[in-house]
């Protein structure tokens, strides 16, 4: 735990000169239509700051304001999407089916599913996994996630406790402790070489964790639930980035899918100070209730519930 960073965040909140922006999911998942589990740190920081304000006899209100950020493509460019899909298919050795110009949604969905299955097969082969033929795509990708994390945790001697995000953060910290060691310049040559070796192995496990984290919110039904251009493009970018990580070189996706627009919406503010009494009597329960309220507020800001802005001021 980075106590210095926590102290700085707490001080910034209590000082109150500027708002503090926190990403409660802990990491981006590249899919605006799926929300990863929330981390409780935002609630803890809010309660700490509320206590600090009371101790200082500062009566200013303190609120957590949910913010929804939604990216989308301004004009569906099915020709560019088809070209990018064809490039992925060639790269993975998949025969490209005949495009369906009259129904690009169905054609793109089927091709993305096939690409996803081939990528998953490659990852399973990398991890020496033998999936059950009766398993669904979502079950197989969940098995891959659990196996990848367990392998990295075993390497670092970590316990497999907590949710996926918490496990990823512990693996990340363990890798950084080995990659960014202090005092390596004072080590004898052999020990320095071993430290470099350990750092390279840690970096490999960190990449394994990143791949798992990259697929945190891939459920197997994202593009089937709502087969539209935005979701196809989001999944396409996710797959391209994953291949770039595996091959250790950025994937250059061409042609461009076109300009995007961003919509920002403010949710219902959640006052913190009225919750302090509950926090003092039962911290665990107060944190849980606060995070449940925050999750509901954020879900209301997701694309399916998003009220589309009509002004051009939100376009990029």
């Amino acid at each position: 735990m980075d106590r210095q960073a926590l102290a700085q965040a707490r001080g910034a909140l209590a000082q109150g000169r500027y708002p503090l922006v926190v990403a409660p999911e802990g990491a981006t998942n590249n899919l605006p239509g799926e929300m990863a589990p929330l981390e409780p740190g935002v609630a803890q920081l809010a309660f700490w700051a509320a206590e600090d304000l009371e101790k200082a006899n500062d009566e200013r209100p303190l609120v957590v304001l949910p913010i929804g950020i939604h990216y989308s493509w301004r004009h569906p460019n099915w020709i560019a999407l088809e070209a990018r899909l064809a490039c992925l298919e060639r790269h993975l050795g998949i025969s490209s089916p005949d495009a369906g110009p009259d129904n690009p949604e169905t054609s793109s969905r089927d091709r993305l599913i096939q690409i996803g299955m081939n990528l998953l097969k490659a990852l399973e082969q990398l991890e020496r996994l033998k999936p059950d033929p009766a398993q669904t795509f979502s079950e197989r990708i969940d098995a891959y996630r659990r196996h990848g994390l367990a392998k990295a945790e075993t390497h670092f001697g970590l316990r497999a406790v907590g949710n996926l995000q918490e496990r990823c953060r512990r693996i990340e910290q363990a890798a950084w402790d080995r990659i960014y060691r202090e005092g390596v310049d004072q080590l004898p040559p052999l020990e320095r070489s071993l430290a470099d070796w350990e750092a390279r192995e840690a970096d490999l496990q960190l990449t394994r964790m990143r791949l798992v984290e990259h697929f945190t919110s891939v459920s197997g039904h994202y593009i089937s639930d709502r087969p539209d251009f935005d979701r196809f493009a989001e999944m396409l970018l996710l797959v391209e980035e994953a291949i770039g990580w595996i091959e250790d070189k950025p994937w250059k996706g061409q042609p461009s899918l076109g300009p995007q627009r961003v919509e920002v919406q403010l949710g219902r503010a959640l006052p913190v100070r009225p919750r302090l009494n509950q926090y003092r009597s039962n911290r665990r329960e107060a944190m849980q209730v606060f995070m449940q309220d925050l999750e509901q507020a954020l879900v209301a800001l997701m694309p399916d519930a998003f009220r589309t802005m009509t002004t051009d001021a939100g376009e990029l």
Side-chain angles (χ1 to χ4, degrees):
M1 183 166 58
D2 192 337
R3 297 184 183 279
Q4 183 179 0
L6 287 173
Q8 289 178 339
R10 183 173 179 171
L13 275 173
Q15 186 183 28
R17 291 183 61 192
Y18 306 103
L20 178 69
V21 180
V22 178
E25 293 175 275
T28 58
N29 63 14
N30 302 311
L31 300 176
E34 298 275 2
M35 187 168 72
L38 303 184
E39 301 279 359
V42 60
Q44 184 61 79
L45 282 170
F47 282 124
W48 280 343
E51 287 186 319
D52 292 344
L53 289 171
E54 282 211 348
K55 290 177 184 177
N57 294 320
D58 191 331
E59 297 182 356
R60 287 176 298 170
L62 176 68
V63 300
V64 172
L65 181 65
I67 300 175
I69 305 175
H70 178 217
Y71 292 91
S72 60
W73 277 264
R74 294 177 61 181
H75 306 290
N77 189 338
W78 293 102
I79 295 176
L81 181 69
E82 181 184 339
R84 298 271 282 264
L85 288 174
C87 185
L88 279 175
E89 288 163 341
R90 289 192 298 272
H91 194 78
L92 297 173
I94 304 172
S95 57
S96 299
D98 293 332
D102 296 332
N103 194 353
E105 292 90 349
T106 301
S107 173
S108 299
R109 181 196 63 200
D110 294 345
R111 295 172 72 181
L112 269 170
I113 290 174
Q114 187 179 26
I115 288 170
M117 288 298 295
N118 275 265
L119 179 58
L120 179 57
K121 286 178 184 177
L123 292 171
E124 289 170 338
Q125 290 173 3
L126 175 68
E127 298 293 352
R128 303 295 190 269
L129 285 173
K130 296 182 179 179
D132 185 338
Q135 284 182 315
T136 64
F137 180 85
S138 58
E139 290 171 338
R140 286 173 60 182
I141 201 165
D142 182 59
Y144 160 72
R145 283 194 291 248
R146 288 186 283 104
H147 177 86
L149 287 185
K151 202 166 183 178
E153 288 163 339
T154 299
H155 177 85
F156 293 119
L158 301 173
R159 293 178 56 203
V161 294
N163 60 35
L164 189 144
Q165 279 76 16
E166 291 168 343
R167 294 170 68 183
C168 286
R169 297 288 74 75
R170 279 196 296 273
I171 292 169
E172 183 178 57
Q173 187 61 56
W176 286 349
D177 289 343
R178 289 156 177 80
I179 296 171
Y180 303 106
R181 282 182 54 176
E182 295 183 2
V184 291
D185 292 335
Q186 284 74 46
L187 294 175
L190 179 60
E191 289 188 33
R192 171 61 186 264
S193 297
L194 291 174
D196 289 341
W197 190 331
E198 189 177 40
R200 288 193 295 270
E201 289 187 332
D203 185 63
L204 181 62
Q205 298 301 326
L206 187 61
T207 302
R208 172 177 276 113
M209 184 277 291
R210 295 286 187 222
L211 271 173
V212 170
E213 188 177 41
H214 197 57
F215 293 104
T216 297
S217 296
V218 176
S219 57
H221 57 76
Y222 187 72
I223 57 176
S224 297
D225 286 351
R226 201 180 75 193
D228 62 17
F229 182 86
D230 283 343
R231 289 204 173 192
F232 293 151
E234 291 157 10
M235 191 62 66
L236 170 77
L237 296 178
L238 187 147
V239 171
E240 289 178 343
E241 186 175 12
I243 292 175
W245 278 352
I246 294 171
E247 299 181 349
D248 197 25
K249 56 183 178 182
W251 181 277
K252 296 180 180 179
Q254 294 293 337
S256 170
L257 297 176
Q260 288 182 277
R261 81 184 249 129
V262 62
E263 303 171 41
V264 180
Q265 187 177 8
L266 305 183
R268 174 176 53 89
L270 304 177
V272 181
R273 299 185 74 156
R275 301 171 184 257
L276 266 181
N277 288 336
Q278 182 189 18
Y279 176 72
R280 291 178 179 132
S281 62
N282 190 329
R283 294 194 174 195
R284 183 183 296 273
E285 181 180 330
M287 295 264 292
Q288 185 177 8
V289 171
F290 190 94
M291 293 309 297
Q292 288 174 348
D293 291 345
L294 177 59
E295 182 176 3
Q296 291 177 1
L298 288 171
V299 167
L301 299 177
M302 291 177 67
D304 287 339
F306 219 88
R307 291 195 297 271
T308 304
M309 296 179 180
T310 57
T311 174
D312 288 342
E315 295 187 351
L316 290 181

